[in-house]
Amino acid sequence: QYIFFSATTPNNTSQYFLNCTDSTNTKAIIYSNGTFGSRTSTYGGISDIKVKQDIVDASSQWNDIKALRFRKYRFKDDPTGPLQLGLISQEAELVSPGLVFETPDTTTDEEGNRVETGEVTKSVKYSIVYMKAVVALQEAMSRIEEQQAIIEQLKADVAALKGA
């Protein structure tokens, strides 16, 4: 099963594809341009320790984050639309293949059946990019703290030399 937006392509945030509203207010909405909004501005993943195993610290993400090439672009089907910020799947895949997944392209045959075309569209797992960025931020924070400690020690050494 899937949900299909059958209206014309408004590609904006005035019309919606899916609106999740209860008796008091809207909880989540997917606008016709693909923008997702939620009342709490949060999303989550099941992260309880009881469902995980083989837990180890993440390795350095410094080089991956430095190597990712963030780009501005417009979608071909909206050539005058707003500039977007993001990654190009094929470029991200060269840095970290696990960031990219493929979805088979489909079309509708004469009988109305969805059939694969043999082509794929590549997508970026942005949630993984965000996690890599947080790990790299932690690494940067540690490096800054180490450098601050060195600077403080150098200041103390210079002050001691001046006092001698």
Side-chain angles (χ1 to χ4, degrees):
Q1 292 290 3
Y2 62 92
I3 299 171
F4 180 72
F5 183 61
S6 61
T8 58
T9 308
N11 204 24
N12 60 34
T13 54
S14 298
Q15 298 179 13
Y16 58 86
F17 170 75
L18 181 65
N19 187 334
C20 302
T21 302
D22 67 11
S23 61
T24 58
N25 50 48
T26 298
K27 303 300 183 187
I29 192 166
I30 300 175
Y31 294 96
S32 63
N33 69 353
T35 298
F36 175 80
S38 81
R39 183 166 180 81
T40 61
S41 300
T42 61
Y43 70 93
I46 296 171
S47 192
D48 195 293
I49 195 167
K50 69 184 175 190
V51 298
K52 297 182 177 186
Q53 65 182 30
D54 304 327
I55 300 167
V56 297
D57 287 342
S59 60
S60 174
Q61 302 300 311
W62 190 270
N63 291 331
D64 279 2
I65 291 299
K66 277 180 56 176
L68 288 173
R69 194 168 179 191
F70 290 87
R71 311 285 220 120
K72 287 186 174 183
Y73 56 88
R74 287 188 176 88
F75 285 103
K76 289 180 178 180
D77 64 359
D78 192 9
T80 60
L83 280 171
Q84 305 288 324
L85 175 65
L87 299 168
I88 306 301
S89 296
Q90 288 79 355
E91 294 174 352
E93 188 173 39
L94 296 174
V95 172
S96 182
L99 288 178
V100 176
F101 68 96
E102 297 178 347
T103 305
D105 293 347
T106 61
T107 189
T108 305
D109 67 13
E110 307 81 41
E111 289 116 28
N113 300 312
R114 293 182 65 80
V115 295
E116 292 185 12
T117 65
E119 304 265 324
V120 296
T121 297
K122 296 184 178 206
S123 299
V124 172
K125 299 175 186 175
Y126 278 103
S127 60
I128 304 300
V129 174
Y130 304 148
M131 289 295 101
K132 284 178 163 288
V134 170
V135 173
L137 175 61
Q138 288 176 328
E139 290 178 71
M141 292 168 69
S142 292
R143 289 180 184 195
I144 291 167
E145 289 168 352
E146 289 170 10
Q147 291 169 353
Q148 286 175 327
I150 291 168
I151 290 168
E152 292 305 315
Q153 184 60 53
L154 289 171
K155 283 181 182 178
D157 292 347
V158 168
L161 287 173
K162 285 182 179 180

